[in-house]
Amino acid sequence: MRLVWQLLAVALIAFLGGQGLNATDGSPWLQLAIGLATAVVAVVVYRWVVAKTERRTVVELGRPRAVGGTALGTLLGVAMFGFVIANIAFLGHYTVDGLGSPEGAIGLVGFMAAAAVTEELLYRGVLLRIVEGWFGTWIALGSTSVLFGLSHLLNPNATLWGAIAIAIEAGGMLGAAYIATRRLWLPIGLHFGWNIAASAIFSTEVSGNGTPQGLLDAATSGPIAISGGDFGPEGSGYAVFAGTVLTIVFLWIAKRRGTIVPMRRRDRAQAAAATLPR
């Protein structure tokens, strides 16, 4: 039942925050405030419901390294998306016509903060962590990555390839970031940095959503394998490549740190206890 209660608690905050953001469309400063408030409340609720249902200290959202981990993840996310855009632009399929909407960018920061935090709490904080305790790291990482990709099929301009790309580049990378650090701050920062770079800075589609214009007045074009098409650059081969590289790096770090939980039942309890942050 802990899985159900934790999912319901975070999902409720995500839903209410989403309703608030949609109701304030056209008011960027209000969207920023509601988005940031949703992110903060989601963290508080997650800490409360996990502590209540598992009777433990919620170390995955502990204060140590919270600022540093989130900041590092945000920088990595922005740099990763910048790499993708630079390659698309080099081939002539990303063009900038001038300044877009700074006000729109402000609202997008709030929207993406809420999305990044609630999605990481749901998929990595609840699902991956609990499934890993049942079946080990590899099954947990694979299953939650697939589920994360499939969830993006609900977006307006979703494609099967886009969902597959998200499962590989985002589901794998964000899950591996949690496994390597045993904290949620790095994947939250990665998710947030990637999303604000895609929307608020470079003004591209985000996962097939009708994303408003951000800081730049820009457009993407060209083959889906390069630009991602209507799904956005997340469907680009460059994004899949970059996400795969970071996934491998994080899993290598996890192996060196001994934070991978084995599949064999008799080894899981001991390994899971050893992976808890101190």
Side-chain angles (χ1 to χ4, degrees):
M1 286 299 293
R2 60 176 177 149
L3 175 66
V4 174
W5 286 117
Q6 290 173 23
L7 285 175
L8 285 175
V10 179
L12 177 62
I13 301 304
F15 173 76
L16 294 175
Q19 294 300 302
L21 287 165
N22 290 332
T24 56
D25 187 25
S27 302
W29 288 103
L30 195 52
Q31 283 189 320
L32 176 64
I34 291 176
L36 294 177
T38 300
V40 171
V41 172
V43 168
V44 172
V45 168
Y46 176 93
R47 288 176 60 89
W48 173 80
V49 72
V50 171
K52 193 77 171 177
T53 56
E54 299 185 15
R55 301 181 184 277
R56 66 175 178 86
T57 302
V58 187
V59 290
E60 65 268 26
L61 279 179
R63 292 180 181 177
R65 305 177 192 171
V67 175
T70 306
L72 175 60
T74 301
L75 290 174
L76 283 174
V78 172
M80 179 181 168
F81 196 84
F83 163 82
V84 174
I85 286 294
N87 280 278
I88 297 174
F90 179 76
L91 296 177
H93 296 302
Y94 176 81
T95 55
V96 177
D97 295 323
L99 186 66
S101 172
E103 295 82 7
I106 291 169
L108 285 167
V109 170
F111 187 94
M112 295 307 172
V117 171
T118 56
E119 288 182 11
E120 288 313 300
L121 295 179
L122 286 170
Y123 285 95
R124 263 58 67 176
V126 178
L127 287 174
L128 190 151
R129 180 178 56 79
I130 292 179
V131 173
E132 184 182 47
W134 293 340
F135 303 110
T137 293
W138 301 115
I139 291 177
L141 181 60
S143 60
T144 55
S145 295
V146 170
L147 184 61
F148 189 60
L150 290 176
S151 69
H152 288 73
L153 286 174
L154 300 174
N155 296 341
N157 295 315
T159 64
L160 179 58
W161 163 245
I164 293 172
I166 287 290
I168 297 170
E169 76 201 23
M173 176 186 66
L174 296 168
Y178 166 72
I179 293 162
T181 62
R182 290 295 156 183
R183 287 179 171 83
L184 290 166
W185 301 119
L186 181 62
I188 284 173
L190 271 168
H191 199 150
F192 176 62
W194 173 271
N195 279 0
I196 60 168
S199 59
I201 299 175
F202 294 107
S203 301
T204 68
E205 289 289 320
V206 179
S207 307
N209 285 299
T211 308
Q213 189 177 72
L215 187 62
L216 299 176
D217 180 10
T220 55
S221 61
I224 291 176
I226 296 174
S227 68
D230 291 338
F231 190 78
E234 287 165 311
S236 165
Y238 292 116
V240 174
F241 170 77
T244 300
V245 169
L246 278 180
T247 300
I248 293 171
V249 170
F250 287 137
L251 290 177
W252 175 79
I253 294 172
K255 184 176 180 181
R256 287 182 61 88
R257 291 179 174 178
T259 56
I260 293 177
V261 178
M263 293 177 62
R264 289 183 298 177
R265 181 180 298 178
R266 64 187 181 190
D267 297 332
R268 283 203 298 272
Q270 181 178 358
T275 62
L276 290 177
R278 290 174 172 80

